[in-house]
Amino acid sequence: MAKKRGEADPLDRVFDGLEEAAPGVHDLAEPADMLPTGLPAALIELYARCDGGRIFVDTLELLPSEDVRFDGVRWQFANLEGETISIDVRGKVWRKDESVDDEVCDGTRLDRWLAGQIDAIALLFDPDGEYADDVFDEDGEILDIVREKQLRAQLKRDAAAPGPRWRLALALAEQGATEDARNELEQVVADDPAFAWAWLDLARISEKLGEIGGALDESRMAAEAAEGLRHPQAGYFWAQVARFATRVGDEMVRAEAATKASLLAPELKRAQIEGARERIESGDTASAKGLLELLRAVWPRDLEVLELARRIEAPPPT
């Protein structure tokens, strides 16, 4: 990345800020004398400043260069709140998101991502490196308002990063700010049209607002994006298309989507049925009905699905 004469390197600015923190807040190793071969340029620049370290105690761990692992697509170089952080050859940073069991692009460039994370994590600590007051609830979870500030801090450093904006949209939706959530998701898919989860969440918001036709279109964008990337959950996205098509009464689209779902995810039916049965046993009938709706859209005449429907819809015993 070229910089103007006299302009400080972005990573230098990040590490200068870390050095100004109170002792013990960050623990950075000295740069390595030798680096493993094959590292991408962005990691070579990072390890020129430190050979791993811990930022804000143990919140963000930068792995030593010798512990970096290449999975064939990306290099895993850090851990953040228990989730794996990796980088691709283009310098984009990816975070393993457990909520969708998938990797989400968390930063468009390493220096922007690192600066945003430091700003976000800093909201949890006081100047001495102790947890700040009024940032956690009684269960030890970060307060919604603080989490929202953290995500906005990341976006201030890297406005085009789809991951933080997607999480911000989900946080706004949980708070009932549906239109604000929709606006954020529309920006996400504008920045990253291949982000299938954002398209699907956009469809769910449209569904919540009663705009089922729009939800069908958005779910199809999600499925086509996932299939184009050979996403391992592409079949699930097509099952959602079938569900929305059922709701609008478009049998042709439903049948097409159901066929794709069956071909791309032959294990989906079994997983959904078992999930529905577990929810019935636990008394969570509402969630079971949600799974049943998906099953009926893809396998409307399947005997197991029909039996499950009878079980869920049977009146409670008197």
Side-chain angles (χ1 to χ4, degrees):
M1 180 183 61
K3 61 179 185 291
K4 298 178 181 178
R5 184 185 300 271
E7 180 184 0
D9 184 280
L11 270 178
D12 284 343
R13 290 199 299 269
V14 171
F15 280 90
D16 287 345
L18 293 177
E19 291 177 359
E20 295 172 0
V25 178
H26 313 302
D27 181 16
L28 302 177
E30 293 295 323
D33 295 330
M34 296 287 292
L35 291 177
T37 59
L39 293 180
L43 287 188
I44 292 174
E45 293 182 8
L46 173 67
Y47 289 121
R49 277 85 178 172
C50 73
D51 192 22
R54 299 179 182 276
I55 296 175
F56 286 105
V57 192
D58 290 326
T59 308
L60 172 60
E61 178 191 11
L62 301 176
L63 300 178
S65 57
E66 64 180 8
D67 291 341
V68 172
R69 294 293 177 265
F70 182 57
D71 62 9
V73 179
R74 305 182 185 102
W75 290 262
Q76 299 173 4
F77 73 96
N79 293 304
L80 174 62
E81 298 176 344
E83 295 181 334
T84 301
I85 305 298
S86 57
I87 192 167
D88 63 24
V89 70
R90 297 171 297 174
K92 290 187 176 183
V93 179
W94 297 77
R95 179 174 180 173
K96 180 65 179 294
D97 193 295
E98 296 300 331
S99 69
V100 292
D101 191 25
D102 200 2
E103 292 197 27
V104 174
C105 182
D106 212 46
T108 63
R109 212 171 66 190
L110 179 57
D111 59 281
R112 293 171 180 167
W113 176 82
L114 189 55
Q117 287 297 337
I118 291 170
D119 289 350
I121 300 170
L123 295 172
L124 306 179
F125 291 84
D126 63 22
D128 296 324
E130 302 292 334
Y131 281 117
D133 296 329
D134 301 325
V135 296
F136 298 102
D137 62 19
E138 294 179 353
D139 297 323
E141 300 294 331
I142 299 173
L143 294 171
D144 290 342
I145 186 63
V146 177
R147 177 65 73 185
E148 182 179 335
K149 288 180 179 178
Q150 287 187 297
L151 293 166
R152 293 190 186 280
Q154 287 180 255
L155 290 170
K156 187 175 181 180
R157 294 286 191 173
D158 195 354
R165 193 174 299 281
W166 170 63
R167 294 187 184 93
L168 175 61
L170 297 182
L172 292 171
E174 287 179 3
Q175 296 170 35
T178 306
E179 285 296 341
D180 291 339
R182 169 184 268 181
N183 292 337
E184 296 294 348
L185 285 171
E186 287 177 344
Q187 184 60 55
V188 172
V189 296
D191 291 334
D192 186 3
F195 194 171
W197 293 110
W199 278 113
L200 184 56
D201 286 318
L202 197 53
R204 287 167 173 157
I205 284 183
S206 294
E207 179 183 24
K208 185 176 182 179
L209 295 173
E211 302 170 6
I212 309 304
L216 175 58
D217 293 339
E218 289 153 352
S219 67
R220 186 162 197 138
M221 293 293 292
E224 289 175 348
E227 187 176 4
L229 293 173
R230 297 184 179 180
H231 194 288
Q233 298 186 62
Y236 171 77
F237 288 101
W238 278 112
Q240 291 289 348
V241 176
R243 182 175 74 84
F244 287 118
T246 300
R247 294 202 60 187
V248 300
D250 193 330
E251 175 57 23
M252 184 176 296
V253 172
R254 186 212 66 79
E256 175 197 9
T259 299
K260 284 180 173 287
S262 298
L263 292 174
L264 292 170
E267 76 291 343
L268 180 62
K269 183 180 75 171
R270 177 56 46 201
Q272 294 288 109
I273 288 176
E274 291 178 355
R277 287 171 175 166
E278 289 174 2
R279 283 159 176 78
I280 292 172
E281 294 298 329
S282 65
D284 187 0
T285 306
S287 295
K289 286 182 177 179
L291 296 175
L292 175 62
E293 185 182 6
L294 198 73
L295 286 163
R296 275 179 155 172
V298 183
W299 299 278
R301 298 177 183 85
D302 183 87
L303 294 179
E304 280 190 288
V305 174
L306 293 172
E307 174 58 31
L308 183 65
R310 284 191 291 269
R311 184 178 175 188
I312 291 176
E313 295 169 355
T318 58

